[in-house]
Amino acid sequence: MRRPLVRERVRRRHEGLATTLMVAPATVLYVVMLIVPVCLAFWLSLTDWDGFSADPAFVGAANYLDLLDDPELRRAALVTLLIAAAGTAGLNLCGLGFALLVNGSSRLNTFFRIVLFYPHVLSALVVGFLWSAILGTTGAVNNLVTTWGGEVLPFLSDPAWATVTMIAVLVWAGFGVNVVLYLAGLQAVPHSLIEAARIDGATRWQVFRNVTLPALGPSVTVNIVLSLVTLLKTYDLVVSLTAGGPAGQTQTVAYLILWNSFHDARLGFGSAQSVILMLVTGALAFVVTKLRRRGELAVHQ
């Protein structure tokens, strides 16, 4: 009786060792690439470091107190929240709409899927420079407008126009990922339910609202959270498209963090901003996920 027990214990130990060895590389990578930088950022946020001196001066919560009286941060936070809210809506509406259009299994749909996803492959910096050349004051669009006798359109020179332009470019560059995720969700919708609804006389809109959309609940949740998190840390497109202008009106929090950290050599203050952004992003993602889960449960009940 003891030999089978001993063999079982040995087998379990070997399985545990194998599991540990397989998980170890990912765990080490996670700690080195995420946990250590987060801890370092929190430590630097408690210092007054310029990024060059050997010994950062410890200042405690002074950087966090300065954030409360920083008008630039408040303005950047409002711009970031506007971009995140409007951009998330645009990404998901465009993603779902085009996913429904190219859902069929044909060569033409495959071609359109590639075309829709292609902008996401481009670097955000390249996208920004591209649209700046198209929509700038001396860009292609304004050259055509002035040639036809019209006035220059302030796509990037007026604060309101520049914000709307930036949101539109963000949606154009990123909705290809949403299309792919929604297509995966559409493939998982039971075809039998759709056929049953059509047999019962449901219209296309009724089938979409009562069958397809509820089944896409998990895909909607994933898309909203991913879009929100991505847009809250937008900075590269701001650098190449508007450079934070005009007059700093399109600065996002992430852009401001880089500006304060490296341009103004206030790495401690920038680290405090990054810690706050990380906490706010995590909190919003958690709240949105919880609300979406409740909505999904309510639909299935």
Side-chain angles (χ1 to χ4, degrees):
M1 292 294 294
R2 295 185 60 184
R3 287 185 178 180
L5 291 176
V6 172
R7 290 177 181 175
E8 181 65 19
R9 290 177 182 175
V10 172
R11 186 184 65 81
R12 289 181 179 178
R13 288 178 183 176
H14 288 169
E15 289 181 353
L17 180 60
T19 302
T20 302
L21 291 175
M22 287 188 288
V23 172
T27 303
V28 172
L29 186 64
Y30 180 80
V31 171
V32 172
M33 301 300 294
L34 184 64
I35 303 300
V36 172
V38 168
C39 294
L40 181 60
F42 179 72
W43 160 247
L44 290 177
S45 71
L46 303 176
T47 67
D48 183 18
W49 191 40
D50 58 5
F52 301 99
S53 58
D55 299 318
F58 184 80
V59 296
N63 288 324
Y64 292 96
L65 295 176
D66 290 341
L67 292 178
L68 300 176
D69 298 324
D70 188 355
E72 271 194 331
L73 180 61
R74 288 197 293 269
R75 181 176 61 193
L78 290 175
V79 171
T80 303
L81 290 175
L82 175 61
I83 290 174
T88 299
L91 285 170
N92 283 276
L93 289 174
C94 290
L96 180 56
F98 281 103
L100 292 170
L101 290 176
V102 299
N103 188 31
S105 56
S106 66
R107 292 185 178 181
L108 188 60
N109 282 338
T110 301
F111 170 75
F112 282 125
R113 291 176 189 178
I114 297 173
V115 172
L116 293 173
F117 188 77
Y118 182 73
H120 182 72
V121 178
L122 300 175
S123 165
L125 290 173
V126 173
V127 170
F129 287 127
L130 171 66
W131 282 101
S132 178
I134 295 173
L135 301 176
T137 305
T138 58
V141 172
N142 277 316
N143 281 336
L144 287 175
V145 171
T146 53
T147 300
W148 294 337
E151 297 183 357
V152 173
L153 299 174
F155 290 111
L156 303 177
S157 57
D158 179 80
W161 281 65
T163 303
V164 173
T165 299
M166 189 160 58
I167 293 172
V169 173
L170 283 167
V171 171
W172 175 85
F175 80 95
V177 174
N178 301 84
V179 172
V180 172
L181 294 176
Y182 278 123
L183 280 172
L186 288 171
Q187 300 299 321
V189 177
H191 191 69
S192 59
L193 293 179
I194 298 177
E195 288 297 326
R198 289 175 178 171
I199 292 173
D200 289 338
T203 62
R204 288 187 177 182
W205 168 247
Q206 290 173 332
V207 171
F208 172 75
R209 187 183 63 182
N210 298 314
V211 178
T212 305
L213 193 57
L216 285 176
S219 298
V220 173
T221 301
V222 171
N223 273 291
I224 290 177
V225 173
L226 287 179
S227 301
L228 185 65
V229 171
T230 301
L231 292 171
L232 283 173
K233 55 187 181 68
T234 299
Y235 76 93
D236 39 11
L237 187 70
V238 181
V239 172
S240 56
L241 184 63
T242 65
Q249 295 297 317
T250 59
Q251 288 182 342
T252 61
V253 174
Y255 179 87
L256 197 60
I257 289 171
L258 294 176
W259 184 268
N260 287 327
S261 299
F262 301 106
H263 183 271
D264 295 343
R266 300 176 64 193
L267 203 61
F269 185 66
S271 296
Q273 292 176 314
S274 66
V275 170
I276 296 299
L277 177 61
M278 179 185 63
L279 293 176
V280 171
T281 302
L284 286 176
F286 178 79
V287 170
V288 170
T289 302
K290 282 293 184 182
L291 293 176
R292 284 292 312 157
R293 294 296 185 193
R294 289 182 181 178
E296 292 173 24
L297 292 175
V299 169
H300 292 293
Q301 286 178 353

